Amino acid sequence: MPRRVRSPVERYHDRVAGVYDGIYAGNAYWEAIFAVTWRNIVRHLPKDLSSRCLDVGCGSGRWGLRLIRAGYSVDFLDISQKMLDQAANRLAAMGKTSIRLDCLNTPSPAPPGPADPRISRIWHADMDNLSALPDASHDFIVGQGDPLNCTEKPRQAFKDLARLLRPGGVLLLSVDNRLQGIDHFLGKGDVEGLEKFLRTGRTQWIADDPNERYPITMFTPGQIRGMCRERKLELVSLIGKTVLPLRRFKDLLDDPAKRNALLRLEESLHGEEALLANASHLEFAARKPD
Ligand SMILES: C[S@@+](CC[C@H](N)C(=O)[O-])C[C@H]1O[C@@H](n2cnc3c(N)ncnc32)[C@H](O)[C@@H]1O
């Protein structure tokens, strides 16, 4: 059988998987982002610890592993085998059992069978094709670090994620904010490009190596509202991450007192509609009606 050709997004994440966590470790700015992210996740978690969670675009497993430590059963899904290897190693180091399910190299995998709360399923899958995952299988789905951006058909991927939710379940996704892409086109004097970008949200992830660039879609708050309406999900929260220019003033985050005060301010403002345009990322939680 001919070898499957990896997509650019898969190749890129396979290459960086071994160093991925190190990129963020010990950086005050990223630590602050992670603190805000975790507190926002906690706000939307199911009350019942027997709920089953899914970390999509899980990377090395940062958020899914935290959910496991919080007491939930968690499945993991990513397009990058190497990222999944990192997550699997960390699960094993925690003494947790997992099984690997491969939808990318096995185009028609056997149905996964009943879920065991003690065993994490690790899906090697593309969010552009989630057909192997059963309907209404998860109570909480988290996708941090913008995996929906990287899909070829984000509306279809969103539809599939909504399908995986059980009634009453919540989908929490971060996405790139389209309103933050405007300067890039204006800086190049590319008004035609700007018009197209604002219409479609399509652009490229700018990697140093041109072979590692891959297409992405950036989203507007209005579009997020539209996708939720279309899938009959209730939008329970939409925040900017971050609405304060914390990256520009990241040195202030080295001082614990200033950091805590700034994060308090950030979290008191991050749902303000007028400030969403400031944020490089939008993060939303959408609930499937009971
Ligand atoms: C920026 S990383 C974020 C990883 C992790 N969620 C975190 O917050 O640390 C994005 C992840 O999404 C995965 N990804 C990108 N496109 C995907 C797709 N179409 N299907 C599944 N995973 C995808 C990448 O392989 C990568 O691991």
Side-chain angles (χ1 to χ4, degrees), residues 90-143:
R90 292 169 72 186
L91 267 171
M94 287 164 70
K96 297 287 175 188
T97 311
S98 60
I99 48 162
R100 306 284 286 249
L101 297 150
D102 193 337
C103 304
L104 283 178
N105 298 305
T106 317
S108 311
D116 181 329
R118 293 158 305 174
I119 302 178
S120 290
R121 289 172 172 169
I122 301 185
W123 292 92
H124 185 208
D126 184 345
M127 285 165 69
D128 271 308
N129 180 4
L130 295 173
S131 56
L133 278 80
D135 293 358
S137 45
H138 291 87
D139 304 285
F140 185 72
I141 301 178
V142 63

Side-chain angles (χ1 to χ4, degrees), residues 9 13 20 55-59 62-63 77-80 83 125-128 144-145 147 150-151:
V9 70
H13 287 97
Y20 186 71
D55 184 355
V56 289
C58 64
R62 180 186 305 278
W63 302 109
L77 183 147
D78 205 284
I79 198 168
S80 159
M83 283 288 198
D126 184 345
M127 285 165 69
D128 271 308
Q144 289 291 339
C150 308
T151 56

